[in-house]
Amino acid sequence: MKNLNNKILPSYALLLSSIVSSNAYSADIGSKSVSDTYNQAYVINTLVEGIDVPWAMEQLPNGDILVSERAGQLRLIREGKLLEPEISGLPKIHANGQGGLLDLALHPQFEENQWLYFTFASSQGKSAGSNTALMRAKLNLDEMSLEQAELLYKGQDNTSKGRHYGSRIAFDDHGFVYFSIGDRGARESKPQSKILDGGKIYRLHDDGRTPKDNPWQHLAKDNNIKLATFSYGHRNPQGLAKHPVTGDIWSHEHGPKGGDEINLVRAGKNYGWPVVSYGVNYSGSKFTELTQKQGMEQPLHYWTPSIAPSDMVFVTSDKYPEWQGKLIVGSLKFHYVALLDIDDKQVLEQHKVLEDIGRVRSLMQGRDGYIYVGVDGGGIKRIEPQ
């Protein structure tokens, strides 16, 4: 059941459906039971409801869980209850199609500095529409507010198109913060450009300064170069995570019709969109004949047909012994979580788990060791070993 050249076989979905047919839910009041292919049983419990599009989650040191609602609200779950007062102090958010309040990330030293990082669709600028921005603010739980907000980066070239904002955030082992902006529906101009935002993964110091060793820093005399860019040629990256052993930053992104990708993010590398792709237009027509080209990176793994990947988490918790050391990726399209067996820089094989759970929007391995799943229209679920 291994992939050829680390790529998923076109018939793989059919193979998976027979392999994981034992994963059917059993009837249970208030929860659903599911067994993965390793014969480990889990229970899916609904923690809270009342959140429409839970884009991201972060568990605080005190056990509270922050949830971003794409429509523009920052909510708090305390002791299994969604608190009524929203956290105030957010900037103006342009909730537009796929845009709104997006990812959340705690500073690695959050307990000392209370910095919360978040991405959102911002209409700031002279042109109409919006683009993705990265901001940080201090979280004051006593006042249920964000304070001392600082805009760290704002993608220029606003557009009224409501798609491909990205966006995920990750910190590496050196304290740099990475975040993504999708191509904003302008595939012919932005992803391959060094002077336009979009279709890129960016790297900054935690205070928003541009690192001196970013790949295009030597071009600093050209004021049009986007010096925060770390990698380019991306379509719509909505997964970003640090490998717990190697420290590498992994990403995944939406393809068009087919060609969703997992990539290892490297400085200055071009990931090919839209010059190379394993996907086609939504109509079925081709926009490129190329699946590879010299100077452009190949994905570690790709899905055809598309699964519409949402979030990704490396599982380290001992609460899930059969999942430990593997990567989980949510599927918006097919309503399951993909469990990927990985080996250093390779994806070896995958399994479907948590089937029929709903449109998986976000994933989190909490400080308490539990895995949480945010489902569009289905609230927040917690996966518990039986």
Side-chain angles (χ1 to χ4, degrees):
M1 201 171 70
K2 292 187 178 182
N3 299 340
L4 299 178
N5 299 321
N6 301 327
K7 300 172 183 65
I8 193 164
L9 296 169
S11 59
Y12 197 55
L14 296 176
L15 291 172
L16 279 174
S17 65
S18 62
I19 292 169
V20 300
S21 59
S22 61
N23 286 15
Y25 292 125
S26 65
D28 195 7
I29 297 175
S31 64
K32 293 179 179 178
S33 298
V34 60
S35 298
D36 67 13
T37 54
Y38 303 101
N39 198 33
Q40 174 66 52
Y42 300 98
V43 173
I44 303 171
N45 283 317
T46 297
L47 185 66
V48 299
E49 297 178 327
I51 300 176
D52 187 35
V53 183
W55 189 274
M57 299 173 281
E58 280 289 339
Q59 189 168 37
L60 303 177
N62 69 354
D64 291 349
I65 297 176
L66 288 171
V67 182
S68 62
E69 166 67 81
R70 190 177 64 186
Q73 295 83 40
L74 184 59
R75 307 298 301 274
L76 190 72
I77 299 171
R78 177 169 291 165
E79 297 179 351
K81 295 183 179 180
L82 183 65
L83 301 188
E84 282 302 319
E86 299 170 10
I87 294 177
S88 63
L90 286 170
K92 181 180 178 181
I93 292 171
H94 186 212
N96 172 46
Q98 297 172 3
L101 180 58
L102 303 174
D103 205 21
L104 305 172
L106 304 182
H107 190 280
Q109 282 80 50
F110 175 82
E111 291 185 73
E112 288 75 40
N113 58 33
Q114 288 76 56
W115 282 122
L116 171 69
Y117 291 69
F118 55 96
T119 51
F120 64 102
S122 169
S123 56
Q124 179 178 317
K126 296 180 180 179
S127 55
S130 59
N131 211 340
T132 308
L134 173 71
M135 181 174 276
R136 72 174 183 176
K138 299 220 173 192
L139 178 63
N140 184 336
L141 283 182
D142 292 333
E143 300 294 330
M144 289 288 286
S145 65
L146 298 178
E147 302 171 353
Q148 302 178 41
E150 298 177 358
L151 182 64
L152 304 183
Y153 195 92
K154 160 68 171 58
Q156 301 302 305
D157 313 305
N158 286 353
T159 173
S160 57
K161 294 178 180 179
R163 59 185 183 271
H164 300 181
Y165 285 87
S167 171
R168 293 291 175 189
I169 308 169
F171 281 88
D172 69 9
D173 289 331
H174 307 287
F176 293 110
V177 57
Y178 299 73
F179 67 101
S180 61
I181 302 179
D183 69 8
R184 300 295 285 109
R187 72 184 186 193
E188 301 301 332
S189 59
K190 293 186 176 183
Q192 293 294 319
S193 171
K194 292 182 174 65
I195 63 173
L196 297 176
D197 283 307
K200 297 174 178 66
I201 293 174
Y202 302 81
R203 183 180 77 149
L204 298 172
H205 287 288
D206 63 353
D207 60 2
R209 291 177 294 120
T210 303
K212 291 183 179 179
D213 61 346
N214 266 14
W216 294 338
Q217 192 66 30
H218 65 287
L219 301 174
K221 291 183 180 179
D222 185 339
N223 293 328
N224 292 321
I225 294 292
K226 301 297 182 182
L227 300 178
T229 301
F230 191 75
S231 63
Y232 66 114
H234 300 280
R235 184 175 183 266
N236 192 25
Q238 290 189 355
L240 207 59
K242 183 188 75 172
H243 191 290
V245 177
T246 67
D248 291 327
I249 301 297
W250 288 40
S251 74
H252 70 57
E253 61 188 79
H254 289 259
K257 188 176 182 181
D260 300 337
E261 297 181 357
I262 292 180
N263 290 299
L264 183 62
V265 181
R266 294 297 195 193
K269 296 298 184 181
N270 182 350
Y271 290 82
W273 177 256
V275 180
V276 300
S277 177
Y278 288 93
V280 295
N281 289 315
Y282 291 113
S283 66
S285 63
K286 291 185 178 181
F287 57 86
T288 179
E289 297 291 335
L290 302 177
T291 56
Q292 54 187 304
K293 184 177 181 179
Q294 186 173 4
M296 295 182 177
E297 300 299 298
Q298 281 287 290
L300 300 183
H301 183 80
Y302 72 86
W303 285 276
T304 297
S306 294
I307 67 168
S310 52
D311 204 352
M312 64 194 299
V313 168
F314 290 99
V315 180
T316 59
S317 173
D318 58 9
K319 293 184 184 298
Y320 312 91
E322 299 298 330
W323 296 11
Q324 205 169 22
K326 295 176 171 55
L327 178 68
I328 55 174
V329 176
S331 170
L332 287 161
K333 184 177 180 179
F334 293 123
H335 300 190
Y336 65 76
V337 172
L339 179 71
L340 281 70
D341 195 2
I342 58 176
D343 178 16
D344 191 20
K345 298 177 178 63
Q346 282 188 306
V347 175
L348 303 177
E349 60 183 17
Q350 74 167 354
H351 311 271
K352 291 180 187 177
V353 295
L354 313 183
E355 288 190 90
D356 298 324
I357 194 172
R359 282 175 55 84
V360 178
R361 179 65 64 176
S362 52
L363 295 166
M364 175 185 70
Q365 180 180 284
R367 292 169 180 257
D368 57 10
Y370 287 108
I371 290 174
Y372 294 82
V373 184
V375 177
D376 284 0
I380 307 299
K381 317 285 186 182
R382 184 165 65 194
I383 312 307
E384 300 178 9
Q386 289 196 50

